[in-house]
Each structure stands twice: as C-alpha cells, then as structure tokens.
C-alpha cells in the first residue's frame, strides 16, 4: 500500500499559513471584523433586539470577510477595488482614437445645401430666375 500526496503543479498560488491554517492577511481582517462587530452587537442589542443587532453585526463584519477571502487573478480585493476606482473615476474618459464619420459629414453638408437652396427659392417667391453668368 503506497501513500500518495497531491502536489499542485503551480506553486505560485500557495500562501504561507501563520496560525490556525490562516494567512497573515486573513488573521488581520478577521481580527478587524471581531473588533468592530462585537461592540456593534452589544451596543445595539437593547435598541434593535437580538435579531436586529445580529443582522447588523453581520453587515458590519461582511466587508472584513470579503477583503480577507476574495482574490482574483492573484490580486486581493482592495487592489481590484483600487483598479476599478482608478478606471471609472480617476482616469479621464476621453477616447483618444475616436474615428470621424466622413459620410455623415457629407450628408450634413448636402442637407444644409438643400435647405439653403429651398430658403432662397422661398425668398424669391417661388419663381426661378435664369442667370447666364
């Protein structure tokens, strides 16, 4: 009977565990959740009742859990959030390679030419004059 252990091919995704099989980042975030959510529960228990204060406790602790656990393409949640903020708000929304529709410009010129011709005809009283110039 042979003992086999699965070894991942990509070792870059492995994070060092500090205590209780948690990374340093997870320990810091979970501690922040405990530090903020516990007083929230005890301060609102008499006002909102047990159910309401428990729900509020979960709402207060949820962002800390999200930042502790979420990672996409090797980036933690706060870096992804910063990328999104930079893209939406800090970077100008000007498109540097905006093309010009030349056909639409020609159509506008032709429409304006026809409108001017029509207005000139209206001003003359609808009669055409022969000009031989």
């Amino acid at each position: 009977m042979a003992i086999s252990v699965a070894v991942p091919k990509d070792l870059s995704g492995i994070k060092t565990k500090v205590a209780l099989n948690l990374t340093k980042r997870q320990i810091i975030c979970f501690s922040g959740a405990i530090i903020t959510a516990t007083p929230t529960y005890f301060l609102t228990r008499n006002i909102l009742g047990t159910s309401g204060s428990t729900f509020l406790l979960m709402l207060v602790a949820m962002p800390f859990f999200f930042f502790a656990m979420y990672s996409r393409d090797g980036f933690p949640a706060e870096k992804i959030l910063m990328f999104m903020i930079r893209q939406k708000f800090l970077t100008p929304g000007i498109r540097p390679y905006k093309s010009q529709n030349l056909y639409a410009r020609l159509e506008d010129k032709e429409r304006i030419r026809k409108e001017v011709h029509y207005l000139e005809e209206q001003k003359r009283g609808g009669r055409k004059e022969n000009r031989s110039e």
Side-chain angles (χ1 to χ4, degrees), residues 65-111:
F65 292 136
F66 176 74
F67 283 114
M69 303 304 289
Y70 187 78
S71 173
R72 184 173 187 159
D73 297 329
F75 292 109
E78 69 270 4
K79 283 198 178 186
I80 294 172
L81 186 64
M82 189 59 206
F83 293 154
M84 292 170 71
I85 290 172
R86 189 180 336 150
Q87 178 66 31
K88 293 286 184 184
F89 302 112
L90 302 179
T91 307
I94 300 170
R95 294 178 59 193
Y97 301 109
K98 185 175 181 182
S99 64
Q100 296 180 357
N101 188 352
L102 298 177
Y103 184 71
R105 291 171 103 186
L106 289 174
E107 282 182 334
D108 287 341
K109 278 186 179 181
E110 183 64 21
R111 183 185 52 78

Side-chain angles (χ1 to χ4, degrees), residues 3 12 58:
I3 298 175
S12 64
M58 288 188 291

Side-chain angles (χ1 to χ4, degrees), residues 15-31 34 68-69:
K15 308 248 184 334
T16 351
K17 309 295 183 187
V18 177
L20 300 172
N21 205 18
L22 297 173
T23 63
K24 182 170 68 170
R25 166 189 194 76
Q26 291 170 339
I27 291 174
I28 291 170
C29 289
F30 291 156
S31 300
I34 291 170
M69 303 304 289

Side-chain angles (χ1 to χ4, degrees), residues 24-71:
K24 182 170 68 170
R25 166 189 194 76
Q26 291 170 339
I27 291 174
I28 291 170
C29 289
F30 291 156
S31 300
I34 291 170
I35 290 171
T36 57
T38 306
T40 303
Y41 173 76
F42 287 116
L43 292 174
T44 59
R45 184 175 52 176
N46 294 332
I47 300 167
L48 299 176
T50 306
S51 298
S53 60
T54 304
F55 184 72
L56 187 63
L57 175 140
M58 288 188 291
L59 286 177
V60 168
M62 198 59 65
F64 290 98
F65 292 136
F66 176 74
F67 283 114
M69 303 304 289
Y70 187 78
S71 173

